[in-house]
Amino acid sequence: ALAPGQPAGDGAADGTPAAAPARERAAFAARLPDVAIDRRADNPVARLAAQLESAALRTLVVAESPGRRETLAQLLADNGLALPQVDDWAAFAEGEAHSALAVGPLHDGFTLPAPGLAVVTEAELFVGTVRRTRRGLRESQTDVDSIIRDLSELKVGDPVVHAQHGIGRYEGLVTMDLGDGPTEFLHLGYAGDAKLYVPVSQLHVIGRYSGASPDDAPLHQLGSGQWEKARARAARRARDAAAELLNLYARRAARTGHAFGFAAHDYEAFADGFPFEETPDQLAAIHAVIQDMVAGKPMDRLVCGDVGFGKTEVALRAAWVAVADGRQVALLAPTTLLAEQHFQTFCDRFAELPVKLVELSRFRSAKETRQAVADINAGRVDIVIGTHKLLSSELAFPRLGLVIVDEEHRFGVRQKEALKALRAEVDVLTLTATPIPRTLAMSLEGIRDFSVIATAPQRRLAIKTFVRRESDGTIREALLRELKRGGQAYFLHNEVETIENRRARLAELVPEARIAIAHGQMPERELERVMRDFHQQRFNVLLCTTIIETGIDVPAANTIVIHRADRFGLAQLHQLRGRVGRSHHQAYAYLLGPDDSALTRDATKRLDAIQAMEELGSGFYLAMHDLEIRGAGEVLGESQSGDMQEVGFALYTEMLDEAVRALKSGREPDLSAPLAATTEIKLHVPALLPADYCPDVHERLALYKRMAHCATRDTLDALREELVDRFGKLPDPARALLDTHRLRIASQRLGIARIDASGEAIVVQFVPNPPIDPAAIIRFVQSRRDVRLAGPDRLRFTLATADLAARVQRIGEILVGLGGKEAAP
């Protein structure tokens, strides 16, 4: 493919070893060291640079993608080697350049001695593909922190928090020219019609406001001191909460749990029974759970993942680890249907192993239940799956090691605490699709360990969600569309007294339908028979109550119609919607209700949120919306909620994290400056993603925010690669924006508050008490003639820079001079 004019036959014409004898292949291999990469070199890029300069052959370096080519070009430039970029092999072969960069799907390089050309691949340069694969896996895992701070769903009028100026309302993105070329700004509105414009390069000081209803967000008055007082109050409360947290951590650390044994070979054999490929988030959650179990400390981990995203497999792997170590497992499910489904799933996966499983639910007879209780108490049962019967006082687990709570939002705190009290040192694994605000708050604050599964399984499609006024036409259209493609549908009518009347109306409206009824007041065996018949497609419409909310997995059912959807909570709606779309077919959810005038304000917000959040993996976002609509409530104490509401949940969490770090290191948190210093970089050139490069304003906002929260050079490089791969070659303003963030990351470690670099001078301003040795700064100043002290916290460098590249290079040299090679941007 690289040399289309070359014959693919014997290899005699071009020197390739395609069909050469062994002796010739050995001779060919002997020539490879001219351009081959020394994989043991400490700095492969520097090694490549040296080899390219000494190699007799013209050399083409091939990257995996356009984005990787940009990163590779930057790495080579940092090592003093600027390679031109070419579009393809022909352009390089016909050109005069001694070495160049291109893009190609190659794993190994080769040489063509006849024309005197060689190819070196990125995989050779970076020690094969193992490192790249692991890196790609790591990058594809969901970053919970970025979800919390994400601005991609921000709408005009939504409240946001500015770390220095307080809570305002987002009024959109505007482009202005303040003398250095066009720059995009976030337009914020404050109390008294005051306006604030924040450059997109400084979005690290902006966060979403969570913790109270957006309509009730307390807008602050600019310059009034109101925000400083609120922030100081919240910082004091965060310090007290941090002390409580550390006390909680200490008590938990003092408790000794059971350190489970782990046999890797046997575990792999069990894992092979999973018929699907694990998603990156799923693998990360499984790894975290197993690490918790073998660590010897009592586990309390929450796994948040959308319905059908693989939470059950996490529970299965954890149960295997416990059972393999001789411990009992208890799985608590909120409904009999879900308990029955879990029992069947666990029986299938453990069928080849000597593991005894029992189910405790109303589907079992009194005799079966008595026998199961006796076996559990005698230690003859390894895994017990059930509903609230598991909380019965007649159960006494002699060797309980793991408790799994599915859909934890369906249980009260007392029920979960009663289960945990079975054994004080028991490991607890909680599964949920949409955590309740209190649980979410506890997890985000670090009181509970937290894993998110937000990557969708392959071929899964997002469920199309419609909010409609209820009418016969809408119902008939929705059901008939599904029936005509041979599928099944749910009609949810949550009133048992009138469900027969609804059946008669549906039979008249859609005579093509075969309708069955399911609700919680039916006899156990009748309900079980109906659900089995529906699963086997003897009926195509199931008229039901919320008994189907959890646990029903019918791949052929891909439409759900919900009567009076305004009466359900956000988590319930998300769970009900998740009953469909569990295969690769397009699924539909119809949320029916009365006219808008009859809806409450909160009901309208819930329906708007569930309709907007129809993307796969949106359960965590919906939980954040629930947090906003209902508030965080009591986390560690009642008095916190007011301060949390005043500064926003995300900012309060940041304050709490900082206070915990301070107390752990043995110092008192600085209440006068409760947030870490942010670094402002001003390069006096346009720094933005142009509208003709990334046209969608919401996408630009999300990308700006992701750049602002890049904390390492690697994450920023990965984002640069993504931009190039998605939108094409970077325009100059986009390069300037990325350079701004690269310098910000390097400067923040040195305690630099601001860098102002114009064409004539560069001014560096430090934060109070920067984390670098003052003597080192003095030595650096004395070593240069072009620098002087411009105040107690500023250095002014008289340096003329003609363009952005020169400016960035000079700043990089200054940062290295101040902090050593580790500070290089």
Side-chain angles (χ1 to χ4, degrees):
L2 283 175
Q6 303 284 356
D10 57 14
D14 57 7
T16 58
R23 187 179 62 235
E24 292 183 26
R25 282 201 299 272
F28 176 83
R31 292 196 296 268
L32 287 179
D34 287 344
V35 291
I37 306 304
D38 182 358
R39 298 176 185 231
R40 295 165 298 177
D42 292 334
N43 187 341
V45 180
R47 175 73 171 160
L48 173 69
Q51 289 186 343
L52 289 181
E53 289 175 2
S54 61
L57 301 175
R58 293 176 60 212
T59 306
L60 181 67
V61 182
V62 179
E64 296 175 5
S65 69
R68 289 295 302 159
R69 179 173 64 179
E70 288 285 325
T71 301
L72 199 53
Q74 183 70 52
L75 284 170
L76 292 171
D78 290 346
N79 282 271
L81 182 65
L83 295 188
Q85 298 184 11
V86 294
D87 293 333
D88 51 31
W89 170 264
F92 173 65
E94 294 166 5
E96 301 294 329
H98 180 265
S99 51
L101 269 174
V103 176
L106 288 178
H107 183 273
D108 293 315
F110 55 87
T111 60
L112 302 176
L117 301 177
V119 169
V120 172
T121 67
E122 182 186 2
E124 292 175 301
L125 190 62
F126 291 109
V127 197
T129 57
V130 175
R131 179 176 176 272
R132 289 283 300 148
T133 303
R134 287 178 179 165
R135 179 185 169 195
L137 180 66
R138 189 170 61 251
E139 288 170 357
S140 60
Q141 291 172 14
T142 300
D143 182 2
V144 178
D145 200 41
S146 66
I147 291 178
I148 300 165
R149 295 195 174 102
D150 189 21
L151 296 179
S152 59
E153 53 173 308
L154 202 62
K155 301 186 295 293
V156 171
D158 284 354
V160 294
V161 184
H162 190 292
Q164 273 77 46
H165 299 288
I167 300 169
R169 291 200 182 277
Y170 169 66
E171 302 293 347
L173 283 174
V174 296
T175 303
M176 295 189 291
D177 188 345
L178 301 182
D180 297 322
T183 300
E184 232 171 349
F185 293 82
L186 211 68
H187 175 200
L188 306 182
Y190 282 82
D193 290 330
K195 301 185 187 307
L196 182 69
Y197 295 94
V198 183
V200 292
S201 59
Q202 295 177 30
L203 282 198
H204 46 283
V205 299
I206 300 289
R208 291 179 69 240
Y209 176 80
S210 305
S213 165
D215 296 333
D216 300 330
L219 297 189
H220 291 104
Q221 193 166 349
L222 291 179
S224 65
Q226 181 185 7
W227 170 244
E228 284 74 13
K229 292 177 184 174
R231 198 171 64 173
R233 279 196 303 273
R236 283 195 295 272
R237 188 68 63 188
R239 177 192 59 188
D240 297 341
E244 287 186 55
L245 268 180
L246 290 177
N247 185 31
L248 184 71
Y249 291 151
R251 290 205 309 271
R252 182 185 293 174
R255 287 165 51 201
T256 54
H258 177 70
F260 289 90
F262 182 75
H265 184 269
D266 295 338
Y267 169 79
E268 290 297 333
F270 178 78
D272 287 342
F274 185 51
F276 308 100
E277 183 180 350
E278 299 93 340
T279 64
D281 281 357
Q282 198 179 16
L283 280 175
I286 291 169
H287 178 72
V289 168
I290 292 177
Q291 289 295 107
D292 287 350
M293 294 180 72
V294 301
K297 298 295 179 186
M299 173 175 71
D300 187 8
R301 180 169 290 276
L302 172 70
V303 176
C304 176
D306 261 17
V307 284
F309 274 37
K311 300 188 298 295
T312 304
E313 182 62 21
V314 179
L316 281 161
R317 305 277 179 99
W320 182 91
V321 172
V323 170
D325 200 48
R327 293 293 176 132
Q328 290 175 299
V329 177
L331 191 155
L332 178 64
T335 65
T336 50
L337 290 176
L338 182 54
E340 173 75 11
Q341 183 167 317
H342 276 317
F343 182 66
Q344 294 301 329
T345 303
F346 273 66
C347 284
D348 290 345
R349 287 298 300 280
F350 284 94
E352 304 296 321
L353 299 171
V355 174
K356 182 173 176 58
L357 299 94
V358 298
E359 180 189 1
L360 287 180
S361 74
R362 64 189 182 99
F363 280 164
R364 300 296 166 214
S365 66
K367 181 180 178 182
E368 289 175 321
T369 300
R370 282 195 301 274
Q371 183 61 48
V373 170
D375 289 345
I376 292 167
N377 293 344
R380 292 190 293 268
V381 171
D382 299 301
I383 300 176
V384 55
I385 298 169
T387 54
H388 298 71
K389 287 181 182 290
L390 284 183
L391 304 176
S392 169
S393 58
E394 61 184 6
L395 283 177
F397 293 88
R399 49 188 177 88
L400 183 64
L402 174 66
V403 171
I404 302 169
V405 184
D406 198 8
E407 302 305 339
E408 59 86 34
H409 64 278
R410 299 291 300 275
F411 298 98
V413 174
R414 285 185 182 179
Q415 292 167 320
K416 283 179 282 190
E417 291 303 319
L419 190 61
K420 208 179 292 186
L422 289 172
R423 286 290 289 273
E425 65 274 11
V426 71
D427 280 21
V428 179
L429 174 63
T430 307
L431 313 175
T432 184
T434 47
I436 56 176
R438 184 177 185 273
T439 299
L440 182 64
M442 290 173 70
S443 301
L444 296 179
E445 290 203 6
I447 300 174
R448 302 179 66 181
D449 296 315
F450 193 40
S451 296
V452 171
I453 303 178
T455 45
Q458 289 183 345
R459 301 181 68 196
R460 185 68 61 87
L461 298 172
I463 302 166
K464 291 194 178 300
T465 306
F466 306 99
V467 177
R468 296 281 188 271
R469 186 175 66 84
E470 185 165 334
S471 68
D472 289 350
T474 303
I475 294 172
R476 176 170 169 78
E477 177 194 350
L479 295 179
L480 211 54
R481 177 193 284 120
E482 186 60 50
L483 300 186
K484 281 187 174 180
R485 65 174 180 173
Q488 295 172 279
Y490 298 103
F491 190 102
L492 195 136
H493 182 93
N494 204 33
E495 297 171 2
V496 175
E497 297 82 6
T498 59
I499 200 165
E500 285 291 347
N501 297 339
R502 172 64 72 177
R503 177 180 188 162
R505 288 173 58 191
L506 284 179
E508 183 181 345
L509 192 61
V510 192
E512 300 90 342
R514 302 189 305 277
I515 304 172
I517 291 179
H519 58 76
Q521 294 180 20
M522 295 171 64
E524 290 87 346
R525 298 302 178 189
E526 176 68 13
L527 177 61
E528 188 178 5
R529 182 192 63 77
V530 169
M531 296 312 303
R532 190 175 289 115
D533 287 349
F534 184 66
H535 189 272
Q536 293 169 358
Q537 301 189 35
R538 293 191 175 96
F539 305 106
N540 52 18
V541 173
L542 184 67
L543 175 60
C544 55
T545 60
T546 52
I547 193 169
I548 66 151
E549 183 179 340
T550 51
I552 306 302
D553 187 359
V554 184
N558 286 298
T559 293
I560 184 168
V561 181
I562 302 177
H563 166 68
R564 289 308 300 262
D566 55 301
R567 293 177 175 172
F568 296 99
L570 200 54
Q572 257 191 318
L573 286 173
H574 186 60
Q575 285 284 352
L576 291 168
R577 181 175 64 177
R579 295 309 103 210
V580 297
R582 301 175 76 89
S583 66
H584 58 275
H585 296 292
Q586 180 63 65
Y588 302 91
Y590 291 82
L591 312 182
L592 306 183
D595 289 330
D596 292 346
S597 57
L599 295 177
T600 65
R601 189 175 70 173
D602 279 357
T604 303
K605 285 180 189 171
R606 287 195 298 270
L607 292 175
D608 288 345
I610 195 81
Q611 187 173 22
M613 293 288 107
E614 63 179 16
E615 294 90 358
L616 292 169
S618 58
F620 189 81
Y621 281 105
L622 284 169
M624 291 300 295
H625 274 288
D626 212 15
L627 187 71
E628 293 166 7
I629 293 169
R630 294 163 58 189
E634 178 186 340
V635 179
L636 285 176
E638 295 177 6
S639 55
Q640 282 183 42
S641 58
D643 298 300
M644 194 184 294
Q645 184 169 332
E646 208 166 353
V647 299
F649 184 79
L651 190 60
Y652 180 82
T653 305
E654 201 173 322
M655 289 179 173
L656 188 63
D657 285 345
E658 195 150 314
V660 167
R661 283 197 301 271
L663 290 174
K664 272 185 176 178
S665 64
R667 58 184 173 85
E668 183 72 11
D670 186 358
L671 299 183
S672 62
L675 288 171
T678 55
T679 303
E680 180 184 348
I681 308 291
K682 195 169 183 181
L683 299 177
H684 292 276
V685 293
L688 73 159
L689 297 174
D692 56 356
Y693 181 69
C694 178
D696 186 86
V697 63
H698 295 293
E699 190 61 41
R700 287 208 307 278
L701 187 61
L703 289 168
Y704 287 145
K705 190 61 176 171
R706 285 176 61 192
M707 285 184 207
H709 282 289
C710 285
T712 65
R713 170 75 182 269
D714 286 346
T715 54
L716 190 64
D717 284 345
L719 186 53
R720 174 199 288 265
E721 293 167 18
E722 181 185 329
L723 284 173
V724 176
D725 291 341
R726 288 176 62 185
F727 303 108
K729 189 177 179 180
L730 291 170
D732 289 341
R735 287 181 183 277
L737 183 62
L738 286 163
D739 284 336
T740 297
H741 286 294
R742 193 154 55 92
L743 295 170
R744 170 185 62 79
I745 292 168
S747 303
Q748 215 154 8
R749 301 190 198 109
L750 301 175
I752 294 174
R754 176 182 167 89
I755 294 179
D756 190 334
S758 64
E760 296 77 35
I762 299 172
V763 178
V764 177
Q765 180 179 351
F766 293 90
V767 300
N769 304 314
I772 55 176
D773 185 8
I777 298 178
I778 293 171
R779 286 195 300 271
F780 176 67
V781 170
Q782 291 173 341
S783 69
R784 298 180 59 131
R785 290 185 171 183
D786 55 2
V787 59
R788 64 180 177 83
L789 291 170
D793 59 353
R794 297 186 187 190
L795 298 176
R796 178 183 170 85
F797 297 82
T798 308
L799 288 169
T801 50
D803 56 16
L804 174 66
R807 210 163 296 168
V808 171
Q809 185 178 351
R810 294 290 176 268
I811 296 173
E813 292 168 359
I814 291 170
L815 296 179
V816 171
L818 288 169
K821 287 188 177 180
E822 293 77 14

